[in-house]
Amino acid sequence: MAGRRLLEKLLEKRRSSGRLHFTLIDPDKTGPAEAGEIAARAAEAGSDAVLVGGSIGVTFEETDEVVKAAKTSGLPVILFPGGHTNASRHADAVLFLTVLNSDNPYYIVQAQILGAPLALKLGLEAIPTSYIIVGYGGAAGFVARARPIPYEKPELAALHALAGAMMGGRIVYLEAGSGAPKPVPPEAVAASRKLIDAAGYRGEVLLTVGGGVRTPEAARAAAEAGADVLVTGTLAEENPERLAEIVKAFKSGSPT
Ligand SMILES: CC(C)=CCC/C(C)=C/CC/C(C)=C/CC/C(C)=C/COP(=O)(O)OP(=O)(O)O
Ligand SMILES: O=P(O)(O)OC[C@@H](O)CO
Ligand SMILES: [Mg+2]
């Protein structure tokens, strides 16, 4: 559906009920049957949305089928595209992302120009997303030709996050890369939180963290540092039975 409806719902949920968790499913790795199971588990575990996407090798058919399967969970399904053709009319929305620290204009603005008419035709809500790749970066960092922000430079991550919010990103996403050996450092999350709040965006922007979060301790650290949203993908694929403890660790103590 065009417009801003899901984004507004997510912001409202964050304001009233606390932090949010998104479960990422990559259609290149996970077929529809398994995607349906993961999404059902995610819903049970208290996850708030399913992201569907991957950097490499995702076909239209796979995306469509995985999105449809994920929808059976009742959770909203948001595309997380690795390129402008990763679209599906069955999704609720698309993370309309610009990679702030890419060196390649395709990932900064061209994919968005090519993807915009697809989102319009397919009736997908576009969620303005400022995507910032930190440290390891994984396949997303490599494919998007990012200059990853060093783990030990939290102030640089924070300046990207502030600019991302000032440029209109409603999701400001600090990404360590799927399967990262170390998640985004809590110091980088905290420094980003501080600047986003100082600029008056608290409650309007979802500071989102993902990549390499595998333990309740890491989830809790992201929460305490001020993340609004935690994304986990690998954990949901490999150990879905552990999703509930991660979601609980991230959400405990919410809404603050
Ligand atoms: C806005 C539109 C329509 C398109 C945007 C296209 C852009 C700018 C994409 C951003 C860069 C990118 C490659 C993002 C991919 C993010 C993603 C879905 C990561 C999921 O993890 P994988 O990178 O697939 O990890 P694995 O290697 O573990 O499979
Ligand atoms: O697979 P993980 O390491 O949970 O990463 C999730 C997500 O942030 C990747 O885009
Ligand atoms: Mg992938």
Side-chain angles (χ1 to χ4, degrees), residues 23-36 38 50-70 77-83 85-88 91 178 233-234 237:
T23 298
L24 169 66
I25 301 177
D26 184 345
D28 178 47
K29 293 186 175 152
T30 304
E34 204 191 332
I38 293 174
V50 176
L51 301 182
V52 173
S55 318
I56 304 166
V58 180
T59 68
F60 291 112
E61 289 79 8
E62 284 166 342
T63 304
D64 265 343
E65 294 310 313
V66 165
V67 167
K68 280 196 255 176
V77 176
I78 307 173
L79 297 166
F80 187 8
T85 56
N86 288 164
S88 166
S178 185
T234 306
E237 285 167 2

Side-chain angles (χ1 to χ4, degrees), residues 82-106:
H84 72 273
T85 56
N86 288 164
S88 166
R89 68 173 71 254
H90 304 287
D92 297 291
V94 53
L95 291 185
F96 208 76
L97 46 102
T98 180
V99 185
L100 290 190
N101 54 335
S102 175
D103 263 349
N104 182 328
Y106 175 79

Side-chain angles (χ1 to χ4, degrees), residues 79-155:
L79 297 166
F80 187 8
H84 72 273
T85 56
N86 288 164
S88 166
R89 68 173 71 254
H90 304 287
D92 297 291
V94 53
L95 291 185
F96 208 76
L97 46 102
T98 180
V99 185
L100 290 190
N101 54 335
S102 175
D103 263 349
N104 182 328
Y106 175 79
Y107 291 98
I108 304 167
V109 71
Q110 195 177 2
Q112 296 70 17
I113 292 167
L114 298 173
L118 305 192
L120 180 64
K121 275 188 194 169
L122 299 176
L124 291 168
E125 173 183 337
I127 300 181
T129 301
S130 295
Y131 194 53
I132 300 153
I133 297 179
V134 179
Y136 169 76
F142 181 82
V143 169
R145 292 184 177 269
R147 290 183 304 139
I149 296 167
Y151 278 120
E152 59 282 357
K153 290 286 176 199
E155 66 280 13

Side-chain angles (χ1 to χ4, degrees), residues 140-189:
F142 181 82
V143 169
R145 292 184 177 269
R147 290 183 304 139
I149 296 167
Y151 278 120
E152 59 282 357
K153 290 286 176 199
E155 66 280 13
L156 262 183
L159 292 179
H160 282 70
L162 177 63
M166 288 181 164
M167 289 166 74
R170 306 303 296 281
I171 289 187
V172 172
Y173 192 151
L174 296 173
E175 169 72 272
S178 185
K182 276 196 300 182
V184 173
E187 295 77 12
V189 180

